[in-house]
Amino acid sequence: MRILVTGGAGFIGSHLCRRLLQQGHEVICLDNLASGSRSNIEPLFEDPNFSFLEQDVQAPVDLTVDRIYNLACPASPVHYQEDPVQTFKTSVLGALNMLELATRNSARILQTSTSEVYGDPLVHPQRESYWGNVNPIGIRSCYDEGKRGAETLFFDYHRQYGTDIRVVRIFNTYGPLMANDDGRVVSNFIVEALKGEDITIYGDGSQTRSFCYVDDTVRALMLMMETEGITGPVNVGNPNEIPVKVLADHIIRLTGSSSNIVYQDLPQDDPVRRKPDISSAKELLGWTPEVPLEEGLQKTIESFSKQ
Ligand code: UDP
């Protein structure tokens, strides 16, 4: 198939492009390199089935494709808050643009939504039927509401034009090819630990997250795309929930680092607890994550050490 991956030079996107090429597909990666990087896709240029379009997902594009994976959007809080208006536009106008392309092509389109649609959740663990607790005017809203708006567009295109959609809500994902300056917790802690710098925990470190290794996430995206007769939304994440302080301890131990832990204020609207209920993914896709945290962290640390 001819497959468009928007955000294909990003962390998850570049892993996805590689897997799709391994399956023999033709892959077009569209990315404006705002938070993705050319180095992530450099090895893929050797494959004649790979091509790269350096452009914004909001810009008009006329392509013939069978599948669209829409990943384009900065996803790290540090980066998506740098230019919140652009983040919101990327999410909403990017989704609109790609839905138009999918509908014109009668192509199937998958939206990578996010656990952020649940905001600071009052229901735990989070199921897809939960509507969330999002602050619409806070510093995370550009991303949260942008992604919620994109979900709305996906379901309206499906109802109004019969567009063949898939929506997944990705929870915290980590692994090789995260940028050194990504700003998210796993990469920050690993970089700090490897450099022997202080590890900075925001808040008291009791807030929880559930971390999924990137290979597991990508496998779920591909299963979701190729499963017939479903739209989602489906949660994709690892239900192994841990406090941020415990993550820091793991990383210090696995790197053998002498870093100290220091504490800073918790940013506004930082969710207190997050853990996916993945019963839908199990039932509809036959998917569960396979890589345990310790093994995934070791692989990630190895790849960061090489850099
Ligand atoms: N965090 C931290 N130190 C860091 C980066 C993040 O303590 O250097 C915390 C952050 O406040 C949040 C959690 O780790 O509670 C996960 O943050 P991340 O930016 O990875 O993603 P989020 O899940 O908040 O979107």
Side-chain angles (χ1 to χ4, degrees), residues 114-127:
T114 165
S115 53
E116 287 283 318
V117 299
Y118 302 120
D120 191 2
L122 304 174
V123 168
H124 195 80
Q126 292 79 54
R127 300 190 73 118

Side-chain angles (χ1 to χ4, degrees), residues 74-85:
S76 161
V78 180
H79 291 302
Y80 71 61
Q81 288 166 23
E82 264 164 19
D83 188 343
V85 173

Side-chain angles (χ1 to χ4, degrees), residues 25-40:
H25 297 294
E26 191 181 335
V27 174
I28 305 162
C29 164
L30 184 150
D31 204 302
N32 67 354
L33 302 179
S35 56
S37 78
R38 194 175 281 272
S39 64
N40 283 349

